Amino acid sequence: MKKGTKVKGWQWILVIVFIIMSLVISCIDWNGSKVWKEFHYNGLLKFIFQYIYYTFEVMLVTLILVFGQKAFEQWFNKVNIPYGGIILALTWGVAHFFTKDILTGIVTIISSLAFGSIYLLVNRDIRKTYPILWLMFVKEKKKNE
């Protein structure tokens, strides 16, 4: 939970690009705002519990990302490779091929790699990482998930 070093402007620009790409994917997949459509289709109570669930799911994804990154950095002594994102892609991402469909699996693998890159871009600061991942994660969840 240590605070990361200061994030440079170019790093924030790349983070914003990742967020925008996530929003575009979501808008295409949902034909508009995913949040609004989920609220409209689910009603208030189910919507609230759905987003509580998302909050905890993002926590688990973030923990896999952070601990995977830390372990592989120690094992291989390289700090500029998004190991946590690779671990997410090989676990959470590949699992979606078997539990959902091919397109969802591909999107989840790409998202995993993006999440790992974001963690590195914000200099391994979990306090910055979590809200960014939450925003991207909630916006990217496919309709059938």
Side-chain angles (χ1 to χ4, degrees):
M1 290 296 289
K2 286 193 289 185
K3 188 174 182 181
T5 58
K6 185 170 173 53
V7 179
K8 296 177 178 149
W10 69 268
Q11 291 168 295
W12 280 121
I13 290 169
L14 287 176
V15 168
I16 291 167
V17 167
F18 278 117
I19 292 170
I20 290 170
M21 287 175 18
S22 171
L23 294 174
V24 167
I25 290 169
S26 175
C27 284
I28 291 169
D29 185 44
W30 283 83
N31 260 345
S33 169
K34 173 189 180 283
V35 176
W36 171 252
K37 290 199 175 190
E38 280 188 324
F39 179 75
H40 179 71
Y41 294 136
N42 294 333
L44 180 62
L45 187 62
K46 189 174 177 184
F47 176 82
I48 289 169
F49 281 101
Q50 181 69 43
Y51 279 77
I52 290 170
Y53 169 79
Y54 288 159
T55 299
F56 285 103
E57 190 174 5
V58 175
M59 282 182 201
L60 291 174
V61 165
T62 303
L63 288 173
I64 293 168
L65 172 71
V66 169
F67 287 112
Q69 185 70 35
K70 181 76 170 168
F72 277 79
E73 283 179 357
Q74 287 182 344
W75 294 336
F76 297 116
N77 295 317
K78 295 230 182 226
V79 296
N80 57 349
I81 298 172
Y83 296 114
I86 294 168
I87 296 299
L88 273 178
L90 293 174
T91 55
W92 181 57
V94 170
H96 280 73
F97 279 107
F98 302 108
T99 61
K100 302 296 178 191
D101 57 47
I102 291 173
L103 182 59
T104 303
I106 291 168
V107 168
T108 307
I109 286 174
I110 292 169
S111 297
S112 297
L113 297 172
F115 291 176
S117 298
I118 284 171
Y119 181 62
L120 295 182
L121 284 169
V122 297
N123 299 324
R124 295 166 185 79
D125 187 335
I126 198 168
R127 286 179 257 167
K128 291 181 181 97
T129 302
Y130 180 80
I132 294 167
L133 296 189
W134 189 89
L135 176 65
M136 290 178 67
F137 183 87
V138 166
K139 292 307 229 169
E140 271 188 13
K141 293 292 278 186
K142 302 269 304 158
K143 284 183 210 175
N144 61 354
E145 283 193 78

